[in-house]
Amino acid sequence: MFKRQLILEDDTIFTGGAHGSLQESTGEVVFNTGMTGYQEILSDPSYCGQIVTMTYPLIGNYGVNREDFETINPSIHGLVVREMCQVPSNFRSEESLDSFLKAKQIPAISNIDTRKLTKIIRKHGTMKGILTAAYAEGETPHHDVARLADVELMNDQVRRVSTIKPYVVPGRGKRIVLVDFGMKHGILRELTKRHCHVTVVPYHYTAEEILRLKPDGIMLTNGPGDPKDVPEAIAMIEQIIKGVPIFGICLGHQLLALACGADTEKMVFGHRGSNHPVKDLTTEKTYLTSQNHGYAVTLASLENTNLKLTQIALNDGSVEGIAHETYPAFSVQYHPESSPGPEDTSHLFDAFLTQIANHQSDTKERELCQSVQI
């Protein structure tokens, strides 16, 4: 049995069993509170550059299958669990979690006190960490905590996970341009389920390039990192918001807010899990949501903008939804496509298509009035 260590920048060291890749890895250590959904979490591009701790104690018990991936090549830098199941039992299972981690060169550690680790992160916030190279039991591990001072967290995660070239997922319905900041496949599934004709474009596509595609609506996807590290996307949104309906999810939500003059901030330990309650201020309904983000829109910054607050997190009162008071644009911080998590808010995709239809109807009415006046 190989061993490895997780070393935090506050000098805390956890020693446990080595799984997956035997190589060393560095990243930002975070935690996810989901009881299930580890396959979707591993393959979520929003975890690019992060070492994810699962708070649920048993991970891997239903294996890995070919249907639940959110991207082809995971960008996660490591996995931390209390216990990793080596013999999964599920009719959909095609391989074990450990086998998958090895194939994708993702290092993991097990048999450590994940409750203690989670408490450290909750108290001190997310921090840098190293998953050391595996070593044989009985050997003396070589670790140098001082190395963490030189570890720089990535600020180009979106570039790493966005599509390189545009591509089309054909359909007969509304023409949607999906700007890929680190898209989960669940978003595509929801749009194609509604027969949309989807053109997926890279994160750096300009407003002119997007408008040339004659979209009925524009989707701003989820993605990793600080939204302020993607200034080209903010500039693009500023130019297109007046003419085309927009729906933003997670990072797309933050980018929409920045483009409208609001501000964002880094959270202490973020929201990562599939059981976060969110209240819709319009309907007074509460939904359970799937979330994965370390940044949030600051509530006070909405005051001097044309954005209105539409939804809040019931746990901490943070901004979960906004809508533009003049233009057809809205966004949410959570993941309405779930994957993993509850499907309480999948109706937002229908709301987006309704917004598009209303905008097209209003545009035709204005054009007709103008022609009559002429």
Side-chain angles (χ1 to χ4, degrees), residues 52-203:
V52 180
T53 303
M54 300 299 297
T55 61
Y56 190 70
L58 178 60
I59 300 298
N61 53 314
Y62 55 85
V64 173
N65 64 75
R66 67 178 184 176
E67 298 174 359
D68 292 340
F69 290 112
E70 290 303 310
T71 191
I72 296 174
N73 294 310
S75 303
I76 191 174
H77 276 202
L79 180 67
V80 181
V81 301
R82 177 68 184 90
E83 179 182 350
M84 183 175 296
C85 179
Q86 298 298 318
V87 185
S89 177
N90 187 279
F91 72 97
R92 299 171 69 222
S93 176
E94 297 173 348
E95 65 176 321
S96 69
L97 176 56
D98 187 40
S99 172
F100 170 77
L101 294 172
K102 284 183 169 66
K104 293 299 182 179
Q105 291 297 300
I106 301 171
I109 185 172
S110 69
N111 297 320
I112 72 165
D113 189 344
T114 51
R115 291 185 65 185
K116 178 181 177 181
L117 175 57
T118 301
K119 287 182 178 180
I120 291 173
I121 297 173
R122 283 182 59 90
K123 182 177 180 179
H124 302 289
T126 56
M127 60 183 71
K128 293 182 287 187
I130 294 178
L131 279 174
T132 62
Y135 57 90
E137 195 164 5
E139 291 183 358
T140 301
H142 172 72
H143 56 76
D144 182 4
V145 177
R147 283 184 302 160
L148 275 168
D150 299 324
V151 172
E152 293 187 6
L153 298 178
M154 295 184 299
N155 60 4
D156 63 343
Q157 294 105 310
V158 170
R159 179 186 64 81
R160 292 170 180 260
V161 298
S162 177
T163 184
I164 298 175
K165 295 182 179 180
Y167 61 92
V168 172
V169 182
R172 297 290 185 181
K174 299 297 184 184
R175 301 180 69 87
I176 306 299
V177 168
L178 189 153
V179 187
D180 179 12
F181 300 110
M183 172 194 66
K184 291 169 62 180
H185 286 173
I187 296 175
L188 268 184
R189 285 192 289 268
E190 291 296 332
L191 292 174
T192 55
K193 185 191 301 183
R194 292 163 174 80
H195 311 293
C196 295
H197 179 91
V198 183
T199 303
V200 182
V201 301
Y203 76 98

Side-chain angles (χ1 to χ4, degrees), residues 217-251:
I218 296 172
M219 175 76 71
L220 308 174
T221 77
N222 65 291
D226 187 343
K228 294 177 182 177
D229 289 336
V230 200
E232 54 270 75
I234 298 172
M236 176 270 291
I237 297 169
E238 289 174 346
Q239 296 175 59
I240 65 173
I241 191 171
K242 296 180 181 181
V244 186
I246 296 175
F247 179 20
I249 293 174
C250 198
L251 182 66

Side-chain angles (χ1 to χ4, degrees), residues 304-321:
N304 298 319
T305 70
N306 289 321
L307 298 172
K308 63 179 180 180
L309 179 69
T310 59
Q311 299 183 33
I312 61 169
L314 291 182
N315 287 337
D316 59 11
S318 58
V319 176
E320 289 289 341

Side-chain angles (χ1 to χ4, degrees), residues 1 9 26 92 221-222 237 291 302 323 325 344 366:
M1 176 67 180
E9 61 180 303
T26 61
R92 299 171 69 222
T221 77
N222 65 291
I237 297 169
Q291 303 202 14
L302 297 178
E325 294 181 328
D344 293 23
R366 285 195 301 269

